[in-house]
Amino acid sequence: MAQNDASPSKEEESLKTLFDQAMQMFDKIENGSEATNSDAVQMSIKATIAKFEKLTNLVSLSGMFSKNEDLEELPTETLQYLLLPALLGTLSLKLCGQPRKDVIHVAEIYFKDFLQRCKDYGVTDVEVPQPSSTDSVARQQTEQAKIANMVLSRQAKIKRYKEMKELKEKLSTLSKAMASPTVDDDTKRQYFVTLLLNYVNQALDELSSIEQEKPILEYMAKTAGEHKPEKRERAPPLKPVIITRDAVQKAVFGAGYPSLPTMTVEEFYDKRVRDGTFPASSNIPHATIQSADADPDEIEQIRKERVVEDDDPEELARQRAMDEYKDDHRRGWGNRYNRS
């Protein structure tokens, strides 16, 4: 018999030790300055969730809670374990790297379970939020009903805000009293009940935020599957080209600008035809393009150079005759102004 009496004591002690360790980890996460999505914080969140889940299983196996009991019938030390679903819901919302829809779904289950337990034991009389109505029912709701709901919701938020402010002040006072080694049972009970009420308000706020987030996630999931127009690839930038009239100029300009591509008018025209810029069946002759903007003197000079390059006999004879004429008629011989 003595052995049976000692067993529950050891079990309760190990349960309290595990809960205190998990609460220290929870407080460190809540009050930490490091980013929630950092690897270190995420690992700490998952480890704390694992501890709270283990505690939930142990509490469930022990048969600690029953719907047939009232809050006054529960031992003071067991009141803190009613917080487990709220603590798990709070931590679940901090998880990153997982589908957000799954995260808020799990958190919603925890918060509703917490509120239902608190209502069953008489901690609060709030109604557990039910799933939002269907679109057809929402469309049938009159404007007056919508306004009335908004007013009631606003009043409820104001009331809850005032309650939370008062509860935090009370918690601050009770926390200092709980730090004393000689704290009495009545102070402990007040502290745990106040803590439960504080988390009731937090759970209601979180469930409200989750309801607002759901349609956003549904819209994002819907639009993610829609076909998005493919981005057109930008054409490569055009490179500068030096257009020359013939191969001679091409050689000259090419030597002066080795980094730039150089081509004759004919080469330029043929390339544009291949690229599809100019029509292949165009009747515009290359000579027209070549000499469209040319100066008459330059055209004549180019013609003479080509005749020489082709070794035209008449042009060679003409140039020899001109050379002989210049030998016999030196420049300046006809000028008599400087003669004495």
Side-chain angles (χ1 to χ4, degrees):
M1 195 74 175
Q3 186 177 356
N4 293 336
D5 293 337
S7 257
S9 178
K10 290 181 180 179
E11 184 180 344
E12 289 176 5
E13 186 178 351
S14 62
L15 196 64
K16 186 178 184 309
T17 302
L18 184 61
F19 183 82
D20 290 341
Q21 292 174 356
M23 282 303 297
Q24 288 177 2
M25 296 170 67
F26 178 84
D27 291 337
K28 187 176 180 181
I29 294 168
E30 286 287 286
N31 302 321
S33 59
E34 193 171 353
T36 306
N37 60 351
S38 67
D39 293 339
V41 175
Q42 285 295 304
M43 288 178 63
S44 180
I45 290 172
K46 292 175 182 177
T48 310
I49 287 176
K51 282 187 177 294
F52 281 139
E53 287 176 344
K54 183 179 179 180
L55 279 162
T56 302
N57 291 330
L58 292 174
V59 169
S60 178
L61 290 172
S62 67
M64 188 179 298
F65 300 111
S66 173
K67 289 185 177 180
N68 299 325
E69 295 177 325
D70 293 330
L71 188 65
E72 291 76 12
E73 298 179 64
L74 292 176
T76 301
E77 294 296 335
T78 63
L79 294 178
Q80 57 190 333
Y81 301 123
L82 286 171
L83 288 167
L84 287 172
L87 299 172
L88 282 167
T90 303
L91 289 174
S92 297
L93 288 176
K94 298 180 185 295
L95 288 172
C96 302
Q98 299 181 19
R100 184 63 182 173
K101 187 177 180 181
D102 297 340
V103 168
I104 66 172
H105 177 68
V106 172
E108 183 181 29
I109 292 173
Y110 280 134
F111 285 129
K112 287 185 176 181
D113 179 59
F114 169 70
L115 291 176
Q116 189 62 54
R117 290 192 184 198
C118 288
K119 185 179 180 182
D120 292 340
Y121 279 97
V123 177
T124 181
D125 58 353
V126 298
E127 292 295 330
V128 180
Q130 299 301 318
S132 56
S133 58
T134 59
D135 293 339
S136 59
V137 176
R139 282 194 294 268
Q140 294 174 2
Q141 189 181 23
T142 62
E143 291 298 324
Q144 289 82 359
K146 288 181 181 178
I147 295 172
N149 288 336
M150 289 174 63
V151 171
L152 291 174
S153 176
R154 184 172 181 274
Q155 290 176 348
K157 286 182 178 179
I158 294 173
K159 181 182 178 182
R160 195 159 61 247
Y161 174 77
K162 291 180 179 179
E163 288 178 355
M164 288 182 69
K165 188 176 180 181
E166 293 174 359
L167 287 171
K168 285 183 179 179
E169 292 175 357
K170 189 175 181 180
L171 271 176
S172 177
T173 304
L174 290 171
S175 296
K176 295 175 182 178
M178 288 288 291
S180 172
T182 58
V183 60
D184 56 29
D185 187 76
D186 185 58
T187 303
K188 285 184 180 180
R189 198 170 190 85
Q190 286 186 42
Y191 173 77
F192 290 138
V193 172
T194 306
L195 197 60
L196 285 169
L197 289 171
N198 185 56
Y199 271 98
V200 165
N201 286 322
Q202 289 188 31
L204 290 171
D205 286 340
E206 295 293 358
L207 287 173
S208 176
S209 299
I210 287 172
E211 283 300 313
Q212 294 175 11
E213 189 175 355
K214 281 181 181 179
I216 298 173
L217 294 175
E218 290 176 2
Y219 175 77
M220 291 174 63
K222 182 180 177 181
T223 55
E226 295 179 357
H227 175 71
K228 295 182 179 180
E230 297 180 358
K231 293 183 179 180
R232 295 180 59 185
E233 294 184 1
R234 296 184 62 183
L238 295 175
K239 296 180 179 180
V241 177
I242 297 177
I243 306 299
T244 62
R245 293 191 177 87
D246 51 29
V248 176
Q249 285 189 348
K250 176 182 176 181
V252 173
F253 283 107
Y257 304 91
S259 62
L260 299 179
T262 309
M263 59 181 70
T264 64
V265 174
E266 293 184 1
E267 291 172 341
F268 176 77
Y269 180 84
D270 292 338
K271 185 176 185 303
R272 287 294 183 267
V273 171
R274 289 195 301 272
D275 295 342
T277 307
F278 293 165
S281 59
S282 176
N283 296 322
I284 302 174
H286 293 180
T288 303
I289 299 175
Q290 175 178 333
S291 59
D293 299 326
D295 186 84
D297 293 338
E298 292 182 1
I299 294 174
E300 180 63 21
Q301 181 64 27
I302 292 171
R303 187 191 66 78
K304 288 180 180 180
E305 291 176 357
R306 287 182 176 174
V307 168
V308 173
E309 290 175 359
D310 296 340
D311 295 332
D312 184 84
E314 294 182 1
E315 180 64 22
L316 292 174
R318 189 186 68 78
Q319 288 190 6
R320 289 195 189 98
M322 180 59 70
D323 292 339
E324 292 176 0
Y325 175 81
K326 289 180 179 179
D327 291 340
D328 295 336
H329 300 78
R330 296 297 179 89
R331 188 175 183 179
W333 281 10
N335 184 1
R336 295 177 174 272
Y337 292 104
N338 295 328
R339 288 187 177 185
S340 57

